[in-house]
Amino acid sequence: MRYFQVPAIIRNAERSAGNTAEQLPLFVLSMWLYGCVRPVTAGVMGGIELILIAVYPILYGFGKKHGKFLPASTIPRYIMNEYMAVASIMTIFGLTRTAAAASSP
């Protein structure tokens, strides 16, 4: 019951920090691997990730029900993390086709 007596701004900060810490290991690993494969694209995706992290506390505070708009921040982050991880692994193990190989019969 004590948790509900905490001011809303503190709950928002705890929730935002917890979500960032929850996604941090996958983000760091996938960003590092993807940076070895495509550094410029990895930098752009990292910037988008930072913007989505910054928007998270704002979205948490909107609506009658806390967290109503959170998928607008979390789902794109999950998708980007998974994309970077899968694309890195596929490239490292040679599971991707180059443009020249794709056009040849």
Side-chain angles (χ1 to χ4, degrees):
M1 286 295 190
R2 185 173 185 274
Y3 182 76
F4 294 104
Q5 297 171 352
V6 175
I9 194 162
I10 301 299
R11 285 196 310 262
N12 189 336
E14 287 177 347
R15 174 70 185 229
S16 300
N19 181 267
T20 302
E22 173 187 300
Q23 292 195 22
L24 189 65
L26 178 61
F27 170 70
V28 169
L29 179 61
S30 62
M31 178 78 162
W32 175 70
L33 281 173
Y34 197 64
C36 294
V37 175
R38 294 207 167 95
V40 174
T41 308
V44 169
M45 292 180 86
I48 294 170
E49 179 92 11
L50 289 176
I51 292 168
L52 291 171
I53 289 171
V55 169
Y56 186 92
I58 298 166
L59 295 175
Y60 181 76
F62 283 146
K64 293 180 181 177
K65 193 174 175 185
H66 285 300
K68 184 177 176 182
F69 299 105
L70 287 181
S73 174
T74 56
I75 290 177
R77 289 167 58 197
Y78 287 132
I79 291 170
M80 286 191 315
N81 289 339
E82 295 298 325
Y83 171 78
M84 288 189 294
V86 170
S88 300
I89 291 169
M90 288 179 69
T91 303
I92 289 169
F93 289 107
L95 300 173
T96 58
R97 297 186 304 173
T98 61
S103 63
S104 65

